[in-house]
Amino acid sequence: MNNEYGYIYVYKCMVGSGSDVCKIGITKNYQERLKDHVRRPYHGFVPYAEFTTGKAIATVFKISNFSFADKYIKELFSNYQFGNYEIYNVDYDETIKKLYFGLKDRNAFVELIEDGYSLYDFAVDESRQESDTTTKKDFELIKEQIIDRYNDNLPEELLLMLRDKNDFKENCKSHYNTGNYICFSTNMILDLNYNKEKRIEILKKLKKFV
């Protein structure tokens, strides 16, 4: 296997609520490629983008063998491809997970470049500092400590951070469908659909209640 580095990128396309349609492509310069897809959507398939910066929300894999990437993507996802387009009827999070472990198994994985929003629980590096991890498991552990301390009498400051589950399900359907939330009770949840910086901020606030 040669050392011809490149990138595989994945982003979810805006094609309606609850739809699993993703663009999976390869490139030598993912920053420019993603900028181009925002400016000129690939065959009309618009990527989800950050509200403030306009950057595409995408997961990127740096790989050690660029020439094998296109063949490998087709090997994994050809049954889900839309014609000859680089568009696939696949779940975004499951696709990231499948690529992560598949590239590692083939010794092609170099680096995971996170989208700033997904949790990547499957790829938690044990070498990370504990304070820097914001996986769903981290939030679950803090929640259990809070419940043990307060039972059903949660502090008012904490309740202000939570949302009614039914309201969340009805009015934030895309967030609800990701499963990136923590249930504090039957009807109260904590939304985790934020970038990593915001999740770190939320985690710090939760630790104050322990």
Side-chain angles (χ1 to χ4, degrees), residues 189-205:
I189 63 97
L190 176 68
D191 186 8
L192 301 179
N193 285 272
Y194 299 100
N195 61 30
K196 186 172 182 179
E197 182 179 355
K198 179 65 174 179
R199 292 201 306 271
I200 289 175
E201 178 186 333
I202 294 172
L203 198 58
K204 287 180 179 178
K205 288 181 179 179

Side-chain angles (χ1 to χ4, degrees), residues 12 20-22 89-96:
K12 189 171 182 178
D20 293 324
V21 176
C22 295
N89 183 202
V90 291
D91 178 80
Y92 178 71
D93 295 303
E94 286 301 315
T95 297
I96 294 167

Side-chain angles (χ1 to χ4, degrees), residues 27-160:
T27 182
K28 291 288 187 68
N29 187 330
Y30 74 89
Q31 292 99 332
E32 288 303 315
R33 181 62 61 86
L34 291 174
K35 285 180 183 178
D36 187 57
H37 286 324
V38 171
R39 291 192 298 261
R40 293 184 293 274
Y42 178 80
H43 294 282
F45 288 92
V46 180
Y48 281 91
E50 293 181 351
F51 179 75
T52 55
T53 66
K55 292 181 179 179
I57 299 173
T59 296
V60 180
F61 298 88
K62 184 176 182 179
I63 54 174
S64 59
N65 188 344
F66 181 77
S67 60
F68 111 110
D70 187 55
K71 181 179 178 181
Y72 182 58
I73 290 171
K74 286 181 168 56
E75 174 188 325
L76 285 179
F77 306 112
S78 61
N79 291 336
Y80 308 97
Q81 188 172 9
F82 290 7
N84 293 319
Y85 300 119
E86 294 177 353
I87 301 293
Y88 301 81
N89 183 202
V90 291
D91 178 80
Y92 178 71
D93 295 303
E94 286 301 315
T95 297
I96 294 167
K97 186 175 180 179
K98 185 176 289 189
L99 282 169
Y100 178 81
F101 288 111
L103 293 169
K104 276 182 168 287
D105 287 344
R106 286 157 180 77
N107 296 316
F109 178 86
V110 177
E111 181 184 2
L112 171 65
I113 302 168
E114 301 180 1
D115 63 14
Y117 291 85
S118 301
L119 295 180
Y120 303 99
D121 291 19
F122 59 87
V124 174
D125 186 340
E126 294 179 359
S127 66
R128 290 182 183 177
Q129 294 295 319
E130 183 179 351
S131 61
D132 291 336
T133 63
T134 59
T135 68
K136 189 172 180 178
K137 183 178 179 181
D138 292 316
F139 285 95
E140 289 281 9
L141 290 173
I142 296 297
K143 182 202 78 172
E144 291 302 323
Q145 294 177 54
I146 291 173
I147 296 299
D148 287 343
R149 178 175 179 180
Y150 297 100
N151 294 315
D152 294 327
N153 300 311
L154 298 177
E156 183 67 26
E157 297 90 339
L158 175 58
L159 290 173
L160 292 173

